[in-house]
Amino acid sequence: MRMPLPMPRWFALLLLIAFVFQPHDASARRRHARRHGGHPPVPVTAPAQDHRPSERELAFADTLEHRTFQWFWDKSDAATGLTPDRAPAKSFVSVAAMGFSLSAWPIGIERLYITRDQGIERTLNALRWLMSAPQDTSRMGASGYRGFYYHFLDTKTGTRWAPDVELSTQDTALLLGGVLFASSYFDHGDPREVEIRALADSIYRRVDFAWAQNHKPLLTLGWFPETGFLPYDWGGLNETVILHLLAMGSPSHGCGIDLWRGYQKHYVWDSFQGVNHLCFPPLFGHQYTHCWVDFRGIQDDAMRLHATDFFKNSQLATESQYRYAVANPMGWKDYGGQMWGITACDGPIDTVMSVNGLSRQFHTYAGRGVSVQHITDDGTIAPTAAAGSMPFRPEIALPALVAMRERFGENVFNEYGFVDAFNPTLTDTLVPVRMGRIVAGVGWFDTDQLGIDQGPILMMIENWRSGLVWRVMRRNPYVQRGLEVAGFRGGWLAMNHAQARAAANPVRRGVRHAPKRVAK
């Protein structure tokens, strides 16, 4: 029997099309540009990150990171690396969640959750499976095509899960983030680590990014073997910055600077809640790429023009969401400075209900978010939104996470960390929720964790604590190449070049050269 869960996810993506998947015809682009005005305002500076975590907060961050790691360790298949989209509900495999699980193993090694040998074994099994999985045009017998993978895979066969599942460019990019992180982390001479690097290199190099430019120069959302490319292309700030960087970094099927320029044409610079920034409503769009890429101090032309960078922009996006929760214009229960975070996540029910005498639309899985483009807010809070912003605004993110756990206890926090979402406004147990459960007088609580939301929790807490993933990925040549093709300069990129020049031209220290003798 087919599960009902993927349909809300698919509808949620369609709801985002208006501002994520931009039309490719010139007239539509002109209309979009007129609607969003001319020159964008220069962003304001984000508040200083002067929060010094208490011992209680630090202990909680450690617990949250460990429990979230354990979700990936327990739920991913040890022999193949296949990771479910969600659990404990019965689910299909998410290739994006596989990318997060591959990213989890080095974190587990460094935190001593697992040994290096355990991490090597899990990584090697996953990469071997990815390399050998069938790639062809068959409708249901393949895992991917042209190096890309289908969004969802069958848990037993590892092939396309259903006829409405697309070959996904973005979900493949999230998978590749984990593949390349593994390649850069496992850098020892052990033959198994050598194999990891070789497999990762082959998996990345065979992805035909140029083929996916159906409407050049933009990248398509996806492809179906039955009908071909989807009619939508990626444009404007969203979660696909990593996709574009990897496409430009590819030495085998790479895309040029025109891809990045086409993507930037659909940027929306505006003010929301008094915060000027490059906008995208769900917070995950300001977080996903940052799981792997350190944007601090590096800028492309657009960021130089506005005297900012992607890291600062995510700080500002986080601040705008925080201010929205404090203002609470829709009057949802518990919204405030310690209860905030709106992003794509699970929800209770797809229906319109009366709340305090007003009709309110509620959703199950939806692309929730708030910004100038649109507001999709039904009172549902996703802990991954605050946790994914830990490196950006720890002084507002960590207290919120602690407050969520302390206020709602085991309803929201279990052996694998936070459940995907909760809604304090829905307290009547007579409401026929489609997923999760309502605790009388307390609120609605999801009963699942989702891999694509667990991943940012784990990775961004670690990046906040140690910068591990960022440090490792700064060494990755493909990520560096993609950034440079896009025009990023300065910061650690400049330092990498300086170090490379020094290595190529070593200075012999401590040796005094004798003066040349001149013949008389």
Side-chain angles (χ1 to χ4, degrees):
M1 180 177 178
R2 185 171 171 184
M3 293 176 58
L5 294 179
M7 196 57 69
R9 176 81 61 85
W10 181 249
F11 282 141
L13 291 173
L14 289 179
L15 289 172
L16 292 173
I17 283 173
F19 64 95
V20 180
F21 314 134
Q22 302 295 341
H24 61 267
D25 63 284
S27 61
R29 288 177 181 171
R30 286 193 294 270
R31 289 194 300 273
H32 180 89
R34 285 197 298 269
R35 181 173 55 169
H36 294 296
H39 299 289
V42 177
V44 298
T45 302
Q49 299 180 58
D50 55 0
H51 176 69
R52 294 185 178 181
S54 66
E55 290 298 320
R56 178 173 62 99
E57 288 174 329
L58 289 173
F60 174 71
D62 186 70
T63 298
L64 174 57
E65 182 174 11
H66 195 173
R67 291 192 185 190
T68 306
F69 168 87
Q70 203 63 39
W71 187 91
F72 287 103
W73 188 255
D74 290 349
K75 303 304 179 184
S76 299
D77 185 86
T80 62
L82 296 176
T83 304
D85 178 66
R86 63 174 63 233
K90 186 178 179 181
S91 178
F92 36 80
V93 169
S94 160
V95 297
M98 288 184 70
F100 286 116
S101 68
L102 282 167
S103 301
W105 311 152
I107 294 173
I109 292 169
E110 294 298 314
R111 288 286 161 193
L112 304 181
Y113 304 153
I114 58 174
T115 66
R116 192 174 185 93
D117 281 341
Q118 287 177 303
I120 289 172
E121 181 181 12
R122 285 286 187 109
T123 302
L124 201 48
N125 287 346
L127 296 184
R128 285 170 176 168
W129 186 89
L130 287 168
M131 194 64 205
S132 63
Q135 291 250 339
D136 58 49
T137 58
S138 61
R139 295 189 174 187
M140 294 301 298
S143 303
Y145 179 54
R146 288 185 177 262
F148 293 98
Y149 291 86
Y150 285 103
H151 194 158
F152 299 127
L153 305 176
D154 185 272
T155 55
K156 294 181 179 179
T157 66
T159 56
R160 187 186 185 197
W161 185 74
D164 63 346
V165 173
E166 84 285 9
L167 191 77
S168 174
T169 53
Q170 171 59 11
D171 290 270
T172 298
L174 296 176
L175 171 63
L176 292 175
V179 168
L180 294 180
F181 178 42
S183 174
S184 293
Y185 177 80
F186 291 107
D187 59 355
H188 292 184
D190 183 320
R192 297 171 300 168
E193 298 197 27
V194 172
E195 185 181 357
I196 285 174
R197 296 194 294 274
L199 286 169
D201 202 59
S202 296
I203 290 167
Y204 172 64
R205 282 174 171 259
R206 74 175 178 178
V207 180
D208 195 345
F209 294 102
W211 167 80
Q213 290 181 287
N214 186 44
H215 302 121
K216 291 185 177 181
L218 302 180
L219 285 167
T220 182
L221 162 65
W223 175 88
F224 288 98
E226 297 87 356
T227 57
F229 290 107
L230 284 167
Y232 310 109
D233 302 307
W234 293 106
L237 178 65
N238 49 49
E239 70 272 28
T240 67
V241 172
I242 187 170
L243 167 64
H244 290 76
L245 294 179
L246 295 182
M248 291 181 287
S250 172
S252 52
H253 303 288
C255 304
I257 184 65
D258 58 331
L259 168 64
W260 190 240
R261 289 171 178 162
Y263 179 78
Q264 291 176 314
K265 285 182 180 179
H266 305 289
Y267 279 179
V268 177
W269 296 86
D270 214 321
S271 177
F272 182 72
Q273 291 294 319
V275 181
N276 295 338
H277 64 291
L278 179 56
C279 298
F280 181 74
L283 267 181
F284 78 88
H286 298 280
Q287 298 168 343
Y288 269 13
T289 302
H290 296 259
C291 289
W292 291 279
V293 182
D294 183 3
F295 285 103
R296 293 173 299 177
I298 65 172
Q299 299 172 305
D300 65 351
D301 290 342
M303 291 298 165
R304 276 189 291 272
L305 177 64
H306 300 296
T308 189
D309 58 43
F310 274 111
F311 183 88
K312 292 177 181 177
N313 192 73
S314 291
Q315 289 180 310
L316 295 167
T318 301
E319 171 70 13
S320 72
Q321 279 231 8
Y322 173 83
R323 292 187 185 185
Y324 175 87
V326 171
N328 194 10
M330 298 182 72
W332 298 116
K333 184 181 176 185
D334 289 346
Y335 270 27
Q338 291 194 330
M339 208 65 64
W340 59 273
I342 304 174
T343 192
C345 65
D346 274 353
I349 189 172
D350 290 304
T351 192
V352 176
M353 291 189 296
S354 177
V355 177
N356 297 326
L358 299 173
S359 293
R360 299 296 197 196
Q361 173 69 56
F362 290 85
H363 306 277
T364 52
Y365 190 92
R368 293 173 176 82
V370 292
S371 190
V372 292
Q373 292 108 315
H374 77 85
I375 291 177
T376 302
D377 174 22
D378 63 356
T380 300
I381 296 170
T384 189
S389 286
M390 279 290 291
F392 309 135
R393 296 298 306 278
E395 76 279 15
I396 60 175
L398 186 51
L401 295 168
V402 172
M404 292 173 195
R405 190 208 179 164
E406 292 186 344
R407 174 158 189 152
F408 298 111
E410 293 181 357
N411 291 318
V412 77
F413 198 76
N414 59 33
E415 63 180 317
Y416 295 121
F418 283 108
V419 298
D420 193 60
F422 62 98
N423 190 318
T425 297
L426 293 182
T427 59
D428 186 351
T429 56
L430 295 179
V431 175
V433 295
R434 183 176 174 183
M435 55 177 58
R437 64 194 177 95
I438 290 180
V439 178
V442 181
W444 171 85
F445 299 92
D446 202 0
T447 50
D448 281 339
Q449 277 101 0
L450 273 63
I452 58 172
D453 292 337
Q454 293 285 82
I457 293 175
L458 174 64
M459 295 180 70
M460 295 299 257
I461 289 178
E462 185 58 41
N463 279 329
W464 168 68
R465 295 178 77 181
S466 74
L468 170 67
V469 188
W470 290 340
R471 290 199 319 271
V472 171
M473 290 300 278
R474 287 199 294 260
R475 303 196 305 261
N476 189 277
Y478 302 129
V479 170
Q480 181 169 324
R481 174 186 167 89
L483 288 165
E484 290 173 346
V485 171
F488 284 87
R489 302 287 184 270
W492 62 266
L493 281 171
M495 292 177 62
N496 279 9
H497 283 295
Q499 292 169 358
R501 287 193 298 271
N505 300 284
V507 176
R508 296 179 62 189
R509 300 185 183 277
V511 178
R512 179 174 293 176
H513 296 280
K516 293 182 179 179
R517 294 182 180 272
V518 179
K520 294 182 180 180

